[in-house]
Amino acid sequence: MYDVLTVREDFPVLKDVIYLDNAATTQTPVQAVSAMLDYFYKYAANHGRGAHRLARETTNRYEDAREIVASFFNMDPANTIFTKNATESINIVSRGFPWKKGDHVIVTLVEHHSNLLPWIRLKELGVELTVVKPDICGVVDPEDIRSAVNCRTRLIAVNHVSNVFGSIQDIGRIIGIARQEGVKILVDGSQSAGNIPIDISSIDPDFFVCPGHKGLLGPQGTGVLYIKEPGMIEPLFLGGGMVSSVTPDSYKMEPSPAKYEAGTPNIPGVIGLGRAVEYVKELGVKSIEKHEISLAKETALRLGELDAVEVYGPKNRAGVVSFNVVGMNSHDVAMILDQTHGICVRSGYHCAMPSIDHLGVRGTVRASFALYNTLEEVETLLKTVSDITSLVS
């Protein structure tokens, strides 16, 4: 197990705040920031577009990052595509899939909008959509997904961990159902990548997406898309860097991953992401998972003991705890936490309105944990929430 206090030294902002908004974005370690600064100060050039020394160095560092990320998830680097976030990754799949009118897609009610809206939009193409409901704790029964499959089902899209409930879906069983039914499956790892061990070769999804700026500790504007069979997805964007030849009336695309990375990519961001992933790997994802789950479990248990607090989600959860103080707006609670003790939490719908509506509330307060949070910070949160409840009792 790593030493949390030593780790916190790599995240200077933690000296000023209690940061519990990690499901939205994590802080980036100084090692990753330094890697980005090295790009700007020592070898900045474009990727794959020059023979001079700076271009070669840039290209090598960018492709090194691809190797690092691919190795981290145990997936083929040729099928590992860099995007600007998980949202873009999902849209590449939804817009590039060879749909036919009458095709059918299955999603769940506990998806982030990014893994719901792209599938809803497919109704414009005549694609039908089934939304599978979870239980009140945000857990989806894989057999309910199986029951939703019909002869026209082409794809299942499901998150690994809910950003509202912290519920962990049984991805192994769901992927197994997809394989049995001959259906493609996309797994949204936005809340699990870097927080829970993931072996893509073992779980074997058709598509896997995640952002760089959450559990992987990378900068914003970075994301990952894994496509098991790249030939089946048409690229969302066309332009420089993704073609091998062009004539006035035709073009030939490069193979994956280049065909999906048209234009100048976020070079410093990807280089920073590569260093951040190395950082996560050095600490150990299993240790990170154990630490975050321990903090979330303690938080949910102790909040649940307060009479005026409602806690949402299952007993066995990832590092996400959503709750409300009865009689108070979630935004007001979040503001008090920030203004009194510098506690940064998220409030509202969390870009998951159907999930919140499923609870029958108008938003929640969400505390979400990362590898650098401490039990002392949890105690401060609990004490402050307890003080807040006295205002409405």
Side-chain angles (χ1 to χ4, degrees):
M1 187 67 183
Y2 59 88
D3 181 68
V4 177
L5 296 182
T6 300
V7 165
R8 288 174 66 85
E9 293 299 315
D10 296 330
F11 303 86
V13 72
L14 300 182
K15 293 181 175 65
D16 301 321
V17 297
I18 296 176
Y19 188 77
L20 301 178
D21 192 20
N22 297 286
T25 193
T26 58
Q27 301 301 317
T28 301
V30 293
Q31 291 86 344
V33 175
S34 294
M36 290 186 281
L37 289 176
D38 282 347
Y39 165 77
F40 286 114
Y41 293 155
K42 297 179 179 180
Y43 58 90
N46 215 328
H47 167 269
R49 293 173 173 82
H52 61 78
R53 67 186 66 185
L54 298 186
R56 294 198 306 271
E57 180 75 4
T58 293
T59 300
N60 289 340
R61 296 293 185 104
Y62 186 94
E63 294 305 325
D64 285 347
R66 194 189 310 278
E67 294 283 345
I68 291 167
V69 171
S71 174
F72 182 79
F73 290 114
N74 194 19
M75 55 196 190
D76 188 343
N79 297 357
T80 303
I81 298 143
F82 288 126
T83 63
K84 70 174 183 286
N85 45 43
T87 301
E88 182 178 75
S89 297
I90 294 168
N91 275 274
I92 288 172
V93 177
S94 71
R95 302 307 284 182
F97 198 88
W99 303 108
K100 296 179 181 178
K101 186 175 182 179
D103 284 345
H104 178 234
V105 175
I106 299 170
V107 299
T108 81
L109 195 70
V110 290
E111 302 304 322
H112 188 282
H113 293 164
S114 293
N115 199 30
L116 181 60
L117 302 187
W119 312 113
I120 293 175
R121 186 169 66 169
L122 291 177
K123 291 182 179 181
E124 300 171 359
L125 303 178
V127 176
E128 298 178 6
L129 181 69
T130 295
V131 181
V132 176
K133 293 183 178 180
D135 64 18
I136 195 60
C137 293
V139 178
V140 177
D141 185 342
E143 291 306 313
D144 289 342
I145 291 179
R146 186 193 300 275
S147 297
V149 175
N150 62 43
C151 63
R152 295 174 287 106
T153 305
R154 300 288 304 282
L155 185 140
I156 299 166
V158 61
N159 68 59
H160 192 178
V161 172
S162 165
N163 74 314
V164 171
F165 297 92
S167 51
I168 305 171
Q169 309 307 334
D170 192 341
I171 292 300
R173 281 186 62 194
I174 296 172
I175 292 175
I177 288 170
R179 291 284 170 264
Q180 292 165 12
E181 301 292 341
V183 176
K184 302 297 183 183
I185 182 162
L186 179 145
V187 175
D188 178 1
S190 294
Q191 298 297 332
S192 60
N195 306 106
I196 295 175
I198 297 172
D199 186 324
I200 293 299
S201 292
S202 177
I203 64 175
D204 194 30
D206 296 287
F207 311 101
F208 175 79
V209 308
C210 69
H213 67 274
K214 297 187 181 183
L216 298 181
L217 307 184
Q220 293 84 357
T222 60
V224 179
L225 167 62
Y226 166 81
I227 303 178
K228 183 180 180 181
E229 301 174 19
M232 72 178 301
I233 299 295
E234 287 297 312
L236 185 60
F237 304 108
L238 303 180
M242 51 82 66
V243 287
S244 58
S245 64
V246 180
T247 70
D249 58 3
S250 68
Y251 58 87
K252 181 180 179 181
M253 289 185 287
E254 293 277 11
S256 179
K259 68 183 290 186
Y260 300 106
E261 296 181 6
T264 298
N266 182 359
I267 299 168
V270 166
I271 291 169
L273 174 60
R275 182 63 187 93
V277 169
E278 284 183 324
Y279 184 95
V280 172
K281 185 176 181 179
E282 289 163 5
L283 296 181
V285 179
K286 288 185 178 179
S287 294
I288 293 170
E289 176 188 32
K290 181 179 179 181
H291 178 72
E292 293 175 355
I293 288 177
S294 175
L295 295 179
K297 183 178 180 179
E298 180 72 9
T299 302
L301 177 65
R302 300 269 298 281
L303 284 174
E305 294 173 348
L306 299 175
D307 290 338
V309 175
E310 294 179 343
V311 180
Y312 312 105
K315 181 178 180 181
N316 297 319
R317 67 174 74 226
V320 176
V321 180
S322 284
F323 66 95
N324 274 321
V325 176
V326 177
M328 291 191 67
N329 183 280
S330 63
H331 297 306
D332 292 337
V333 174
M335 286 294 293
I336 294 172
L337 290 170
D338 180 29
Q339 292 175 359
T340 59
H341 289 87
I343 302 172
C344 302
V345 296
R346 183 68 47 160
S347 56
Y349 282 93
H350 316 303
C351 291
M353 287 185 177
S355 293
I356 300 297
D357 290 343
H358 184 65
L359 293 172
V361 297
R362 296 174 63 84
T364 72
V365 183
R366 184 185 69 191
S368 50
F369 302 94
L371 71 168
Y372 41 61
N373 291 122
T374 66
L375 187 58
E376 289 74 19
E377 290 178 321
V378 169
E379 293 292 347
T380 303
L381 170 69
L382 294 168
K383 175 62 167 60
T384 310
V385 173
S386 179
D387 292 343
I388 292 172
T389 63
S390 66
L391 301 175
V392 294
S393 61

